mmCIF file of all heavy atoms in Angstrom:
data_model
loop_
_atom_site.group_PDB
_atom_site.id
_atom_site.type_symbol
_atom_site.label_atom_id
_atom_site.label_comp_id
_atom_site.label_asym_id
_atom_site.label_seq_id
_atom_site.Cartn_x
_atom_site.Cartn_y
_atom_site.Cartn_z
ATOM 1 N N GLN A 137 0.874 -1.161 0.000
ATOM 2 C CA GLN A 137 0.000 0.000 0.000
ATOM 3 C C GLN A 137 0.915 1.216 0.000
ATOM 4 O O GLN A 137 1.810 1.325 0.836
ATOM 5 C CB GLN A 137 -0.882 -0.014 1.250
ATOM 6 C CG GLN A 137 -1.867 1.094 1.305
ATOM 7 C CD GLN A 137 -2.745 0.997 2.554
ATOM 8 O OE1 GLN A 137 -3.415 1.956 2.851
ATOM 9 N NE2 GLN A 137 -2.764 -0.097 3.282
ATOM 10 N N PHE A 138 0.715 2.110 -0.963
ATOM 11 C CA PHE A 138 1.552 3.304 -1.036
ATOM 12 C C PHE A 138 1.419 4.139 0.233
ATOM 13 O O PHE A 138 0.302 4.366 0.716
ATOM 14 C CB PHE A 138 1.141 4.192 -2.211
ATOM 15 C CG PHE A 138 1.496 3.650 -3.576
ATOM 16 C CD1 PHE A 138 0.772 4.073 -4.680
ATOM 17 C CD2 PHE A 138 2.530 2.762 -3.778
ATOM 18 C CE1 PHE A 138 1.072 3.616 -5.956
ATOM 19 C CE2 PHE A 138 2.844 2.290 -5.041
ATOM 20 C CZ PHE A 138 2.128 2.718 -6.130
ATOM 21 N N GLU A 139 2.545 4.632 0.720
ATOM 22 C CA GLU A 139 2.534 5.598 1.819
ATOM 23 C C GLU A 139 1.921 6.873 1.236
ATOM 24 O O GLU A 139 2.409 7.395 0.231
ATOM 25 C CB GLU A 139 3.963 5.815 2.334
ATOM 26 C CG GLU A 139 4.074 6.623 3.605
ATOM 27 C CD GLU A 139 3.919 8.116 3.376
ATOM 28 O OE1 GLU A 139 4.502 8.628 2.399
ATOM 29 O OE2 GLU A 139 3.223 8.761 4.169
ATOM 30 N N PRO A 140 0.819 7.385 1.806
ATOM 31 C CA PRO A 140 0.037 8.452 1.174
ATOM 32 C C PRO A 140 0.802 9.742 0.870
ATOM 33 O O PRO A 140 0.670 10.296 -0.222
ATOM 34 C CB PRO A 140 -1.100 8.713 2.163
ATOM 35 C CG PRO A 140 -1.213 7.475 2.963
ATOM 36 C CD PRO A 140 0.169 6.896 3.035
ATOM 37 N N ARG A 141 1.580 10.249 1.794
ATOM 38 C CA ARG A 141 2.273 11.524 1.560
ATOM 39 C C ARG A 141 3.279 11.403 0.413
ATOM 40 O O ARG A 141 3.343 12.241 -0.467
ATOM 41 C CB ARG A 141 2.957 12.022 2.823
ATOM 42 C CG ARG A 141 3.642 13.371 2.596
ATOM 43 C CD ARG A 141 4.042 14.063 3.862
ATOM 44 N NE ARG A 141 2.950 14.257 4.805
ATOM 45 C CZ ARG A 141 2.078 15.263 4.751
ATOM 46 N NH1 ARG A 141 2.140 16.130 3.771
ATOM 47 N NH2 ARG A 141 1.141 15.380 5.664
ATOM 48 N N THR A 142 4.057 10.311 0.424
ATOM 49 C CA THR A 142 5.041 10.102 -0.648
ATOM 50 C C THR A 142 4.331 9.918 -1.981
ATOM 51 O O THR A 142 4.792 10.418 -3.013
ATOM 52 C CB THR A 142 5.934 8.893 -0.334
ATOM 53 O OG1 THR A 142 6.519 9.062 0.956
ATOM 54 C CG2 THR A 142 7.041 8.749 -1.361
ATOM 55 N N TYR A 143 3.219 9.203 -1.976
ATOM 56 C CA TYR A 143 2.433 9.009 -3.199
ATOM 57 C C TYR A 143 2.008 10.362 -3.786
ATOM 58 O O TYR A 143 2.223 10.624 -4.977
ATOM 59 C CB TYR A 143 1.211 8.139 -2.891
ATOM 60 C CG TYR A 143 0.159 8.149 -3.964
ATOM 61 C CD1 TYR A 143 0.342 7.473 -5.171
ATOM 62 C CD2 TYR A 143 -1.033 8.856 -3.792
ATOM 63 C CE1 TYR A 143 -0.625 7.489 -6.157
ATOM 64 C CE2 TYR A 143 -2.009 8.870 -4.773
ATOM 65 C CZ TYR A 143 -1.801 8.192 -5.952
ATOM 66 O OH TYR A 143 -2.754 8.218 -6.931
ATOM 67 N N LEU A 144 1.437 11.230 -2.961
ATOM 68 C CA LEU A 144 0.995 12.545 -3.446
ATOM 69 C C LEU A 144 2.168 13.395 -3.912
ATOM 70 O O LEU A 144 2.090 14.069 -4.950
ATOM 71 C CB LEU A 144 0.198 13.270 -2.365
ATOM 72 C CG LEU A 144 -1.157 12.635 -2.028
ATOM 73 C CD1 LEU A 144 -1.794 13.344 -0.843
ATOM 74 C CD2 LEU A 144 -2.081 12.651 -3.229
ATOM 75 N N ASP A 145 3.275 13.366 -3.164
ATOM 76 C CA ASP A 145 4.479 14.109 -3.570
ATOM 77 C C ASP A 145 5.001 13.598 -4.908
ATOM 78 O O ASP A 145 5.468 14.381 -5.739
ATOM 79 C CB ASP A 145 5.571 13.999 -2.511
ATOM 80 C CG ASP A 145 5.243 14.773 -1.240
ATOM 81 O OD1 ASP A 145 4.307 15.621 -1.257
ATOM 82 O OD2 ASP A 145 5.915 14.524 -0.209
ATOM 83 N N THR A 146 4.932 12.284 -5.112
ATOM 84 C CA THR A 146 5.412 11.682 -6.363
ATOM 85 C C THR A 146 4.543 12.117 -7.542
ATOM 86 O O THR A 146 5.073 12.462 -8.609
ATOM 87 C CB THR A 146 5.439 10.145 -6.243
ATOM 88 O OG1 THR A 146 6.335 9.783 -5.189
ATOM 89 C CG2 THR A 146 5.880 9.495 -7.538
ATOM 90 N N ILE A 147 3.237 12.125 -7.368
ATOM 91 C CA ILE A 147 2.343 12.567 -8.444
ATOM 92 C C ILE A 147 2.656 14.022 -8.808
ATOM 93 O O ILE A 147 2.731 14.380 -9.992
ATOM 94 C CB ILE A 147 0.857 12.400 -8.046
ATOM 95 C CG1 ILE A 147 0.522 10.922 -7.829
ATOM 96 C CG2 ILE A 147 -0.068 13.036 -9.075
ATOM 97 C CD1 ILE A 147 0.755 10.031 -9.025
ATOM 98 N N ARG A 148 2.878 14.856 -7.803
ATOM 99 C CA ARG A 148 3.246 16.262 -8.066
ATOM 100 C C ARG A 148 4.568 16.356 -8.823
ATOM 101 O O ARG A 148 4.709 17.154 -9.749
ATOM 102 C CB ARG A 148 3.343 17.039 -6.750
ATOM 103 C CG ARG A 148 2.017 17.382 -6.154
ATOM 104 C CD ARG A 148 2.175 18.307 -4.933
ATOM 105 N NE ARG A 148 0.997 18.201 -4.104
ATOM 106 C CZ ARG A 148 0.900 17.500 -2.982
ATOM 107 N NH1 ARG A 148 1.939 16.851 -2.504
ATOM 108 N NH2 ARG A 148 -0.234 17.447 -2.316
ATOM 109 N N GLU A 149 5.545 15.543 -8.427
ATOM 110 C CA GLU A 149 6.866 15.556 -9.077
ATOM 111 C C GLU A 149 6.761 15.100 -10.531
ATOM 112 O O GLU A 149 7.400 15.672 -11.416
ATOM 113 C CB GLU A 149 7.847 14.669 -8.302
ATOM 114 C CG GLU A 149 9.250 14.659 -8.852
ATOM 115 C CD GLU A 149 9.973 15.997 -8.765
ATOM 116 O OE1 GLU A 149 9.583 16.865 -7.953
ATOM 117 O OE2 GLU A 149 10.947 16.184 -9.539
ATOM 118 N N ILE A 150 5.950 14.089 -10.795
ATOM 119 C CA ILE A 150 5.758 13.614 -12.168
ATOM 120 C C ILE A 150 5.179 14.736 -13.027
ATOM 121 O O ILE A 150 5.656 14.997 -14.135
ATOM 122 C CB ILE A 150 4.849 12.360 -12.178
ATOM 123 C CG1 ILE A 150 5.623 11.160 -11.613
ATOM 124 C CG2 ILE A 150 4.315 12.058 -13.574
ATOM 125 C CD1 ILE A 150 4.765 9.937 -11.336
ATOM 126 N N ARG A 151 4.179 15.433 -12.500
ATOM 127 C CA ARG A 151 3.569 16.555 -13.246
ATOM 128 C C ARG A 151 4.577 17.674 -13.461
ATOM 129 O O ARG A 151 4.652 18.251 -14.551
ATOM 130 C CB ARG A 151 2.350 17.076 -12.492
ATOM 131 C CG ARG A 151 1.174 16.135 -12.547
ATOM 132 C CD ARG A 151 -0.014 16.695 -11.811
ATOM 133 N NE ARG A 151 -1.106 15.734 -11.808
ATOM 134 C CZ ARG A 151 -1.977 15.606 -10.834
ATOM 135 N NH1 ARG A 151 -1.907 16.391 -9.766
ATOM 136 N NH2 ARG A 151 -2.925 14.711 -10.912
ATOM 137 N N LYS A 152 5.330 17.998 -12.413
ATOM 138 C CA LYS A 152 6.330 19.076 -12.485
ATOM 139 C C LYS A 152 7.364 18.800 -13.578
ATOM 140 O O LYS A 152 7.794 19.712 -14.277
ATOM 141 C CB LYS A 152 7.009 19.213 -11.121
ATOM 142 C CG LYS A 152 8.058 20.271 -11.031
ATOM 143 C CD LYS A 152 8.611 20.310 -9.610
ATOM 144 C CE LYS A 152 9.965 20.966 -9.577
ATOM 145 N NZ LYS A 152 10.578 20.854 -8.254
ATOM 146 N N ARG A 153 7.747 17.533 -13.716
ATOM 147 C CA ARG A 153 8.743 17.154 -14.729
ATOM 148 C C ARG A 153 8.143 16.985 -16.128
ATOM 149 O O ARG A 153 8.865 16.696 -17.080
ATOM 150 C CB ARG A 153 9.423 15.850 -14.334
ATOM 151 C CG ARG A 153 10.294 15.962 -13.101
ATOM 152 C CD ARG A 153 11.022 14.669 -12.881
ATOM 153 N NE ARG A 153 11.736 14.634 -11.633
ATOM 154 C CZ ARG A 153 12.681 13.751 -11.348
ATOM 155 N NH1 ARG A 153 13.015 12.827 -12.241
ATOM 156 N NH2 ARG A 153 13.280 13.771 -10.183
ATOM 157 N N GLY A 154 6.836 17.111 -16.241
ATOM 158 C CA GLY A 154 6.187 16.959 -17.545
ATOM 159 C C GLY A 154 6.137 15.518 -18.023
ATOM 160 O O GLY A 154 6.095 15.260 -19.223
ATOM 161 N N LEU A 155 6.101 14.578 -17.073
ATOM 162 C CA LEU A 155 6.060 13.165 -17.416
ATOM 163 C C LEU A 155 4.626 12.646 -17.358
ATOM 164 O O LEU A 155 3.752 13.278 -16.779
ATOM 165 C CB LEU A 155 6.923 12.363 -16.426
ATOM 166 C CG LEU A 155 8.406 12.707 -16.382
ATOM 167 C CD1 LEU A 155 9.090 12.006 -15.216
ATOM 168 C CD2 LEU A 155 9.077 12.343 -17.698
ATOM 169 N N ASP A 156 4.421 11.492 -17.946
ATOM 170 C CA ASP A 156 3.145 10.789 -17.866
ATOM 171 C C ASP A 156 3.260 9.686 -16.819
ATOM 172 O O ASP A 156 4.279 8.981 -16.767
ATOM 173 C CB ASP A 156 2.797 10.122 -19.208
ATOM 174 C CG ASP A 156 2.683 11.107 -20.349
ATOM 175 O OD1 ASP A 156 2.153 12.209 -20.133
ATOM 176 O OD2 ASP A 156 3.140 10.760 -21.465
ATOM 177 N N TRP A 157 2.219 9.517 -16.011
ATOM 178 C CA TRP A 157 2.166 8.383 -15.094
ATOM 179 C C TRP A 157 1.721 7.197 -15.937
ATOM 180 O O TRP A 157 0.582 7.111 -16.383
ATOM 181 C CB TRP A 157 1.185 8.672 -13.967
ATOM 182 C CG TRP A 157 0.968 7.538 -13.020
ATOM 183 C CD1 TRP A 157 1.699 6.380 -12.931
ATOM 184 C CD2 TRP A 157 -0.055 7.435 -12.040
ATOM 185 N NE1 TRP A 157 1.194 5.586 -11.940
ATOM 186 C CE2 TRP A 157 0.116 6.195 -11.375
ATOM 187 C CE3 TRP A 157 -1.099 8.266 -11.651
ATOM 188 C CZ2 TRP A 157 -0.720 5.783 -10.347
ATOM 189 C CZ3 TRP A 157 -1.930 7.834 -10.624
ATOM 190 C CH2 TRP A 157 -1.732 6.619 -9.983
ATOM 191 N N ILE A 158 2.633 6.255 -16.180
ATOM 192 C CA ILE A 158 2.365 5.134 -17.076
ATOM 193 C C ILE A 158 1.890 3.898 -16.318
ATOM 194 O O ILE A 158 1.056 3.143 -16.808
ATOM 195 C CB ILE A 158 3.607 4.817 -17.938
ATOM 196 C CG1 ILE A 158 3.898 6.033 -18.845
ATOM 197 C CG2 ILE A 158 3.396 3.555 -18.770
ATOM 198 C CD1 ILE A 158 5.166 5.917 -19.662
ATOM 199 N N GLY A 159 2.413 3.684 -15.119
ATOM 200 C CA GLY A 159 2.002 2.498 -14.381
ATOM 201 C C GLY A 159 2.562 2.453 -12.982
ATOM 202 O O GLY A 159 3.211 3.398 -12.525
ATOM 203 N N ILE A 160 2.271 1.345 -12.325
ATOM 204 C CA ILE A 160 2.855 1.101 -11.007
ATOM 205 C C ILE A 160 3.615 -0.212 -11.077
ATOM 206 O O ILE A 160 3.408 -1.032 -11.977
ATOM 207 C CB ILE A 160 1.806 1.068 -9.873
ATOM 208 C CG1 ILE A 160 0.853 -0.119 -9.995
ATOM 209 C CG2 ILE A 160 1.010 2.348 -9.829
ATOM 210 C CD1 ILE A 160 1.165 -1.202 -9.002
ATOM 211 N N VAL A 161 4.491 -0.392 -10.098
ATOM 212 C CA VAL A 161 5.245 -1.637 -10.004
ATOM 213 C C VAL A 161 5.306 -2.040 -8.541
ATOM 214 O O VAL A 161 5.314 -1.187 -7.654
ATOM 215 C CB VAL A 161 6.669 -1.490 -10.607
ATOM 216 C CG1 VAL A 161 7.495 -0.473 -9.837
ATOM 217 C CG2 VAL A 161 7.380 -2.831 -10.693
ATOM 218 N N HIS A 162 5.283 -3.326 -8.315
ATOM 219 C CA HIS A 162 5.561 -3.842 -6.978
ATOM 220 C C HIS A 162 6.241 -5.194 -7.124
ATOM 221 O O HIS A 162 6.237 -5.802 -8.192
ATOM 222 C CB HIS A 162 4.294 -3.920 -6.116
ATOM 223 C CG HIS A 162 3.380 -5.048 -6.417
ATOM 224 N ND1 HIS A 162 2.535 -5.050 -7.499
ATOM 225 C CD2 HIS A 162 3.161 -6.214 -5.768
ATOM 226 C CE1 HIS A 162 1.826 -6.170 -7.498
ATOM 227 N NE2 HIS A 162 2.198 -6.897 -6.456
ATOM 228 N N SER A 163 6.846 -5.634 -6.043
ATOM 229 C CA SER A 163 7.567 -6.899 -6.085
ATOM 230 C C SER A 163 6.750 -8.012 -5.438
ATOM 231 O O SER A 163 5.888 -7.763 -4.600
ATOM 232 C CB SER A 163 8.915 -6.763 -5.379
ATOM 233 O OG SER A 163 8.735 -6.437 -4.015
ATOM 234 N N HIS A 164 7.052 -9.216 -5.873
ATOM 235 C CA HIS A 164 6.572 -10.430 -5.232
ATOM 236 C C HIS A 164 7.829 -11.154 -4.747
ATOM 237 O O HIS A 164 8.524 -11.778 -5.543
ATOM 238 C CB HIS A 164 5.796 -11.318 -6.211
ATOM 239 C CG HIS A 164 4.392 -10.904 -6.443
ATOM 240 N ND1 HIS A 164 3.520 -11.655 -7.202
ATOM 241 C CD2 HIS A 164 3.678 -9.833 -6.016
ATOM 242 C CE1 HIS A 164 2.331 -11.059 -7.234
ATOM 243 N NE2 HIS A 164 2.410 -9.944 -6.530
ATOM 244 N N PRO A 165 8.151 -11.043 -3.463
ATOM 245 C CA PRO A 165 9.390 -11.637 -2.958
ATOM 246 C C PRO A 165 9.472 -13.152 -3.116
ATOM 247 O O PRO A 165 10.553 -13.687 -3.344
ATOM 248 C CB PRO A 165 9.397 -11.256 -1.477
ATOM 249 C CG PRO A 165 8.549 -10.037 -1.395
ATOM 250 C CD PRO A 165 7.490 -10.230 -2.436
ATOM 251 N N ASN A 166 8.343 -13.853 -3.011
ATOM 252 C CA ASN A 166 8.377 -15.313 -2.985
ATOM 253 C C ASN A 166 7.457 -15.990 -3.988
ATOM 254 O O ASN A 166 7.288 -17.202 -3.935
ATOM 255 C CB ASN A 166 8.003 -15.807 -1.582
ATOM 256 C CG ASN A 166 8.910 -15.212 -0.532
ATOM 257 O OD1 ASN A 166 10.119 -15.326 -0.623
ATOM 258 N ND2 ASN A 166 8.324 -14.539 0.439
ATOM 259 N N THR A 167 6.825 -15.213 -4.856
ATOM 260 C CA THR A 167 5.874 -15.803 -5.802
ATOM 261 C C THR A 167 6.162 -15.308 -7.223
ATOM 262 O O THR A 167 6.943 -14.378 -7.426
ATOM 263 C CB THR A 167 4.420 -15.463 -5.422
ATOM 264 O OG1 THR A 167 4.254 -14.045 -5.405
ATOM 265 C CG2 THR A 167 4.063 -16.040 -4.051
ATOM 266 N N ASP A 168 5.513 -15.934 -8.174
ATOM 267 C CA ASP A 168 5.698 -15.586 -9.579
ATOM 268 C C ASP A 168 5.148 -14.188 -9.882
ATOM 269 O O ASP A 168 4.320 -13.665 -9.132
ATOM 270 C CB ASP A 168 5.001 -16.621 -10.464
ATOM 271 C CG ASP A 168 5.679 -17.984 -10.390
ATOM 272 O OD1 ASP A 168 6.917 -18.020 -10.283
ATOM 273 O OD2 ASP A 168 4.970 -19.002 -10.431
#
């Protein structure tokens, strides 16, 4: 679960840099 403050700061940073939010990524430590 995204930490809310960092998530919001990241969305602002993506916009500031003129980037597109393309997707999310997460890891599966023990599964496929």
Side-chain angles (χ1 to χ4, degrees):
Q137 183 178 167
F138 288 156
E139 189 282 317
R141 182 166 305 277
T142 306
Y143 166 74
L144 292 174
D145 290 346
T146 299
I147 296 301
R148 284 187 202 102
E149 182 65 20
I150 288 169
R151 288 181 184 148
K152 180 178 159 187
R153 293 186 188 196
L155 299 171
D156 300 321
W157 176 11
I158 296 175
I160 66 105
V161 63
H162 76 283
S163 62
H164 280 186
N166 304 305
T167 59
D168 292 324

